[in-house]
């Protein structure tokens, strides 16, 4: 059934965790939601869970490291609406590997870069024609508090989030001429499959406290078309993330390093 009136949101990595909670949040608010992932079983259960909500959830297989698949899935998804409209792209799919840098196989370093960085680039590029044709369109990238300061035991993961930060800041400026805003969400550790069994110096200092509801609510709030006095690009989620990001902006470099050294028990 063609539905041309609903606002639309396309979410990668939506079968589980933050992406899934975000898909349900937007569907409950009347959006036409595109929920894409490599996990077919998770998508099927999401489809069932979303069936009673006021919005509609379209699901499909997408490996974010495959740029052709991005183009196909986006085309299929917008065809569920008016063929052009894409209000929000949420680049959420991501993986994390924790451990000593030198003990991690090269393939694991590469995979994190492929999914967490290249996935964002491919998706954002493929979505551009639709975002450009939709007034006030937005891109939301899942960054992380690991991009505030380099994180021991999460070296490459943190580096991918620094890259996401750079992509977000630069594109938000570059695409303002198209009326497209680009935002980054900055949660600290969240209780999802990603952090299950992860034990680093920082997770033991700060705990894994945020829930997927905290993050999906924050994403929904960040995408409301409110007029802010000051343009906002970065959205820390939770008090510790807010305190750490604020602290790193105003404290001298040696102090930021010292705080991170202590938090990471290095
Ligand atoms: N959990 C945390 O502590 C935390 C903190 C800050 C930021 N984040 C970020 O939030 C995002 C979501 O994390 P989460 O905690 O919900 O993780 P999760 O592991 O619960 O879910 C990630 C989803 O991404 C999917 N995925 C993995 N590889 C994919 C690929 N190649 N193509 C498409 N989908 C793929 C998985 O199947 C899964 O459904 C990630 O970008 C992550 O880096 C998470």
């Amino acid at each position: 059934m063609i539905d041309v009136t609903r606002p639309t949101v396309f979410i990668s990595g939506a079968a589980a965790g933050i992406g899934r909670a975000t898909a349900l949040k937007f569907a409950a608010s009347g959006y036409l939601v595109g929920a894409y992932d490599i996990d077919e079983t998770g998508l099927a259960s999401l489809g069932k869970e979303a069936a009673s909500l006021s919005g509609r959830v379209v699901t499909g297989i997408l490996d974010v490291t495959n740029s052709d698949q991005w183009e196909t899935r986006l085309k299929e998804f917008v065809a569920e609406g008016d063929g052009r409209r894409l209000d929000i792209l949420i680049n959420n799919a991501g993986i994390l590997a924790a451990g000593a840098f030198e003990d991690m196989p090269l393939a694991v370093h590469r995979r994190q870069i492929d999914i967490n960085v290249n996935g964002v680039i491919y998706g954002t590029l493929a979505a551009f024609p639709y975002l450009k044709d939709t007034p006030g369109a937005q891109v939301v990238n899942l960054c992380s508090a690991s991009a505030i300061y380099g994180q021991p035991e999460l070296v490459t993961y943190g580096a991918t989030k620094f890259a996401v930060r750079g992509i977000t800041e630069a594109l938000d400026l570059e695409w303002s001429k198209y009326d497209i805003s680009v935002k980054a969400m900055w949660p600290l550790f969240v209780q999802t499959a990603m952090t299950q069994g992860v034990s680093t110096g920082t997770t033991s200092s700060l705990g894994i406290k945020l829930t997927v509801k905290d993050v999906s609510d924050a994403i929904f709030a960040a995408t409301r078309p409110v007029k802010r006095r000051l343009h906002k690009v970065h959205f820390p989620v939770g008090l510790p993330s807010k305190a750490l990001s604020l602290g790193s902006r105003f404290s001298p470099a040696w102090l930021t390093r010292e705080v991170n050294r202590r938090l990471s028990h290095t």
Side-chain angles (χ1 to χ4, degrees):
M1 187 188 65
I2 298 286
D3 186 343
V4 294
T5 53
R6 290 181 195 281
T8 62
V9 57
F10 187 107
I11 308 171
S12 70
I18 295 168
R20 184 188 182 100
T22 305
L24 291 168
K25 171 84 186 171
F26 276 89
S29 308
Y31 274 72
L32 172 60
V33 178
Y36 292 85
D37 205 291
I38 46 174
D39 173 4
E40 207 166 345
T41 314
L43 287 176
S45 86
L46 169 65
K48 276 193 202 134
E49 194 178 342
S52 62
L53 300 174
S54 62
R56 198 156 70 85
V57 177
V58 176
T59 60
I61 295 294
L62 168 68
D63 179 343
V64 295
T65 66
N66 182 329
S67 56
D68 292 340
Q69 243 181 46
W70 264 110
E71 288 190 8
T72 310
R73 294 290 102 89
L74 276 159
K75 196 169 174 192
E76 289 166 359
F77 174 63
V78 296
E80 296 283 334
D82 67 357
R84 295 304 303 169
R85 181 173 184 176
L86 179 59
D87 292 274
I88 307 172
L89 166 69
I90 303 181
N91 284 308
N92 167 76
I95 58 166
L96 171 152
F101 182 75
E102 66 279 15
D103 292 342
M104 206 172 279
L106 183 57
V108 177
H109 289 286
R110 278 204 174 123
R111 185 93 185 122
Q112 291 178 89
I113 294 168
D114 250 3
I115 294 175
N116 299 2
V117 182
N118 293 338
V120 171
I121 293 172
Y122 299 157
T124 309
L125 204 50
F128 175 67
Y130 310 112
L131 295 167
K132 186 164 74 73
D133 278 1
T134 310
Q138 306 176 66
V139 179
V140 178
N141 295 326
L142 268 290
C143 197
S144 163
S146 315
I148 295 172
Y149 197 85
Q151 289 302 303
E153 300 172 275
L154 292 172
V155 174
T156 299
Y157 175 78
T160 66
K161 296 302 178 179
F162 270 84
V164 169
R165 173 186 184 159
I167 292 166
T168 306
E169 290 173 350
L171 259 191
D172 184 58
L173 287 170
E174 192 171 321
W175 280 4
S176 61
K177 62 177 177 279
Y178 301 118
D179 189 25
I180 302 170
S181 58
V182 187
K183 296 165 178 171
M185 304 307 300
W186 293 69
L188 197 62
F189 300 113
V190 189
Q191 295 156 8
T192 65
M194 176 174 276
T195 51
Q196 252 166 36
V198 170
S199 172
T200 65
T202 327
T203 57
S204 70
S205 303
L206 297 169
I208 300 176
K209 298 202 172 125
L210 287 173
T211 65
V212 291
K213 184 174 183 314
D214 294 328
V215 186
S216 56
D217 283 354
I219 294 174
F220 191 76
T223 53
R224 294 313 83 207
V226 286
K227 279 261 170 269
R228 292 191 174 84
R229 220 159 31 88
L230 297 173
H231 187 79
K232 202 168 165 189
V233 180
H234 301 300
F235 293 79
V237 184
L239 266 182
S241 177
K242 283 179 187 153
L244 286 170
S245 69
L246 202 67
S248 74
R249 250 178 281 153
F250 295 108
S251 60
W254 67 265
L255 182 56
T256 306
R257 181 183 185 277
E258 185 56 19
V259 168
N260 278 275
R261 192 184 67 73
R262 287 185 186 212
L263 287 175
S264 60
H265 302 302
T266 41

